[in-house]
């Protein structure tokens, strides 16, 4: 009697994973040949399904902060090696996620400590409230921005792990962002409590807000 309940395999790969890939390739072919528009629900759904099927926890890498809970993450896009983590205790940690062991791990992964972490004690000019958002400077890993519940937006020098400049907002900062395609400016967009439904653009070259974008009916 056949009692094997595992999902069917083909060349070591589950058939359901192969079907997802085949469906995604058919959608891409249809898009390239013209029957379907560049962005359609079918293509988007196939891409999301394929990516979700390949997500898995690392078997050898587990990152552990030295402080409180992690509230935000940002992986730089140049080498995809350095990961920023903002924490609820106002600290910012930097991890090297490409530093992998040379030998296969035995047992559960060992927690990996950050390469460096700026805390309220080690960096007097850092955040004094929870760090709500971080983002790498889009063009190199020498700088990054952060926003916190202390109503401050900070531009950091990665080499010294200290703020190069900061901007005071009207309230708790919830989101910061720098453009990945801008070539003539380094404006930092930020959303915060109390900004009267505005997105504020801060200019590090002049040290204060350069523009205020209105239009939201609620808090951005």
């Amino acid at each position: 009697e056949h009692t094997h309940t595992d999902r069917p395999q083909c060349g070591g790969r589950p058939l359901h994973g192969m079907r997802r890939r085949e469906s995604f390739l058919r959608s891409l072919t249809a898009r390239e040949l013209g029957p379907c528009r560049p962005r359609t629900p079918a293509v988007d759904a196939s891409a999301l399904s394929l990516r979700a099927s390949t997500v898995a926890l690392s078997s050898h890498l587990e990152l552990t902060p030295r402080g409180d809970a992690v509230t935000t993450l940002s992986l730089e896009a140049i080498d995809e090696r350095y990961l920023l983590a903002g924490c609820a205790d106002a600290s910012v940690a930097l991890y090297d996620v490409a530093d992998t062991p040379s030998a296969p791990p035995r047992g559960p992964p060992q927690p990996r400590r950050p390469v460096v972490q700026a805390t309220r004690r080690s960096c007097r000019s850092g955040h004094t409230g929870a760090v709500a958002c971080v983002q790498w400077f889009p063009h190199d890993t020498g700088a990054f921005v952060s926003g916190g519940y202390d109503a401050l937006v900070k531009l950091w020098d990665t080499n010294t792990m200290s703020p190069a400049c900061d901007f005071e907002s009207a309230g708790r900062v919830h989101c910061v962002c720098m453009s990945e395609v801008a070539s003539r400016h380094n404006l930092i967009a930020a959303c915060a409590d109390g900004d009267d439904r505005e997105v504020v653009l801060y200019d590090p070259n002049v040290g204060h807000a350069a523009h205020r974008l209105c239009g939201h009916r609620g808090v951005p």
Side-chain angles (χ1 to χ4, degrees), residues 46-214:
S46 296
L48 289 174
S49 177
L50 181 62
R51 290 174 182 172
S53 68
T54 60
V55 172
L57 290 175
S58 172
S59 62
H60 61 268
L61 190 61
E62 184 176 286
L63 308 179
T64 304
R66 290 195 178 99
D68 212 332
V70 174
T71 53
T72 180
L73 296 169
S74 178
L75 179 67
E76 51 90 11
I78 298 172
D79 299 317
E80 296 184 342
R81 174 175 179 176
Y82 297 108
L83 179 71
L84 288 170
C87 301
D89 62 354
S91 65
V92 179
L94 174 64
Y95 294 92
D96 184 353
V97 298
D99 185 14
T100 57
S102 57
R106 296 180 179 179
Q110 295 297 319
R112 179 72 55 80
R113 293 293 185 179
V115 176
V116 62
Q117 186 164 1
T119 65
R120 278 188 283 190
R121 178 176 296 180
S122 65
C123 182
R124 299 293 184 180
S125 57
H127 285 286
T128 57
V131 180
C133 43
V134 291
Q135 187 200 357
W136 282 104
F137 181 65
H139 306 299
D140 64 58
T141 58
F144 65 90
V145 294
S146 66
Y149 278 16
D150 53 2
L152 292 174
V153 174
K154 292 181 177 289
L155 175 65
W156 295 71
D157 181 347
T158 311
N159 297 313
T160 60
M161 206 59 181
S162 61
C165 63
D166 53 39
F167 309 94
E168 187 172 355
S169 66
R172 296 184 300 179
V173 180
H174 297 285
C175 181
V176 293
C177 186
M178 299 186 74
S179 172
E180 297 180 359
V181 297
S183 59
R184 297 186 178 182
H185 69 78
N186 295 316
L187 297 178
I188 303 169
C191 298
D193 291 339
D195 272 333
D196 196 24
R197 301 184 294 275
E198 297 175 335
V199 176
V200 182
L201 302 182
Y202 296 102
D203 189 347
N205 293 325
V206 298
H208 56 74
H211 303 281
R212 294 181 178 272
L213 308 179
C214 306

Side-chain angles (χ1 to χ4, degrees), residues 7-64:
R7 293 185 177 179
Q9 304 275 328
C10 179
R13 179 178 296 173
L15 286 181
H16 65 87
M18 294 182 66
R19 293 194 186 99
R20 284 196 187 97
R21 185 177 296 275
E22 291 170 357
S23 174
F24 181 53
L25 292 176
R26 283 197 299 269
S27 299
L28 287 181
T29 301
R31 186 180 70 177
E32 292 172 0
L33 296 179
C36 101
R37 297 188 301 275
R39 291 296 301 272
T40 64
V43 175
D44 291 347
S46 296
L48 289 174
S49 177
L50 181 62
R51 290 174 182 172
S53 68
T54 60
V55 172
L57 290 175
S58 172
S59 62
H60 61 268
L61 190 61
E62 184 176 286
L63 308 179
T64 304

